[in-house]
Amino acid sequence: MLRAVLPALRERGRRVVEGWEVVAGTAGERWAAAMGFRPVRTIVRQELVTAAADRSRWDVPVPAGYRLLRWTGAAPDAVLGSVATVRDAMHDAPLGESGYRWPEWSPARVRAAEAEARAQGLEQRVVVAVEERTGDAVGLTEVCVHPRRPDWGYQRDTAVVAAHRGRGLGRCVKAHMARWLLDERPAVARISTTTGADNAHMIRVNREVGYTTLPSMIAVQRDVNPSTRPV
């Protein structure tokens, strides 16, 4: 597959190729090294095993001055613009030496991502924290359930706008997401998530909600036109 992909990347003027789901210390890491890849980021994997979860951890009050809003599928028009702003807060998440950059979000991009999820048959659930004073979404978490794996929830982005950090909004939206998902989807046995190893705050938030840590993954990178180890 790598041999097939590299010519297409060269044609598009790409300089590097990355893989993000290599479990550290496995044959995959050794293969990547043999192909000229180097580690550029460590990714912590965590999962919430619902049968063993202490659900009292999800009894998290909403901080004063905020309220929660949730939906499945499309964001309400009233918060669409601020949802794009919250998603842009992912730019503050550290990426190590990775060449990847988080996308720039706009209302149109939010709608396109929602349409893509629908096309894939994903059940896309979102919980946001809304600032009462402005009516804007300022914190967000998203979990998707795939129709072929109804026993798994896949945690996607969680973000809080910089001006509203330090008030427990990340933990609040994640805790309410877990309770909402399990109330309506009791067959979900696990919720999985990944976080950059240097994002200590989000790793701690996940633990507070009940996630346990699994063996780490690494992101690996190599030049598309290497001077050594040609593929």
Side-chain angles (χ1 to χ4, degrees):
M1 184 173 67
L2 185 61
R3 290 190 180 98
V5 164
L6 286 177
L9 295 177
R10 294 182 185 115
E11 288 176 6
R12 296 184 180 203
R14 306 302 185 189
R15 296 182 295 104
V16 297
V17 57
E18 286 190 10
W20 274 34
E21 296 190 358
V22 180
V23 179
T26 65
E29 182 178 6
R30 293 189 291 273
W31 178 88
M35 292 296 102
F37 286 86
R38 66 182 182 90
V40 292
R41 185 179 185 231
T42 301
I43 302 164
V44 172
R45 295 190 301 155
Q46 294 173 291
E47 71 171 8
L48 179 65
V49 180
T50 61
D54 176 1
R55 300 194 179 198
S56 68
R57 291 175 179 240
W58 306 340
D59 297 330
V60 179
V62 181
Y66 302 90
R67 60 183 170 85
L68 297 186
L69 179 65
R70 67 191 192 190
W71 63 83
T72 301
D77 289 339
V79 295
L80 178 60
S82 57
V83 164
T85 300
V86 179
R87 288 192 180 276
D88 259 348
M90 287 294 296
H91 291 173
D92 296 336
L95 289 169
E97 298 179 65
S98 169
Y100 178 79
R101 293 296 177 264
W102 302 111
E104 298 292 335
W105 285 90
S106 66
R109 189 181 186 99
V110 172
R111 290 295 189 227
E114 292 168 348
E116 182 179 4
R118 287 194 299 272
Q120 294 173 350
L122 297 178
E123 178 181 291
Q124 181 189 34
R125 292 174 178 254
V126 178
V127 176
V128 298
V130 175
E131 185 185 22
E132 293 279 19
R133 181 179 62 84
T134 63
D136 289 339
V138 296
L140 174 149
T141 195
E142 174 189 4
V143 169
C144 287
V145 178
H146 195 285
R148 294 185 181 178
R149 290 301 307 268
D151 57 330
W152 278 83
Y154 297 93
Q155 174 73 61
R156 291 188 169 183
D157 290 350
T158 298
V160 176
V161 173
H164 296 269
R165 292 174 188 161
R167 304 176 191 182
L169 293 176
R171 181 184 173 206
C172 179
V173 294
K174 280 206 165 187
H176 283 262
M177 171 66 82
R179 187 175 297 283
W180 177 36
L181 179 64
L182 270 296
D183 283 349
E184 296 191 358
R185 285 280 196 169
V188 171
R190 285 176 167 79
I191 305 173
S192 64
T193 189
T194 58
T195 308
D198 41 6
N199 193 343
H201 172 72
M202 189 56 64
I203 293 170
R204 185 185 73 250
V205 166
N206 290 336
R207 287 175 179 157
E208 290 172 348
V209 175
Y211 284 78
T212 56
T213 301
L214 303 172
S216 294
M217 295 190 297
I218 56 173
V220 294
Q221 180 191 100
R222 58 161 275 180
D223 292 341
V224 169
N225 295 294
S227 57
T228 59
R229 297 183 184 273
V231 175

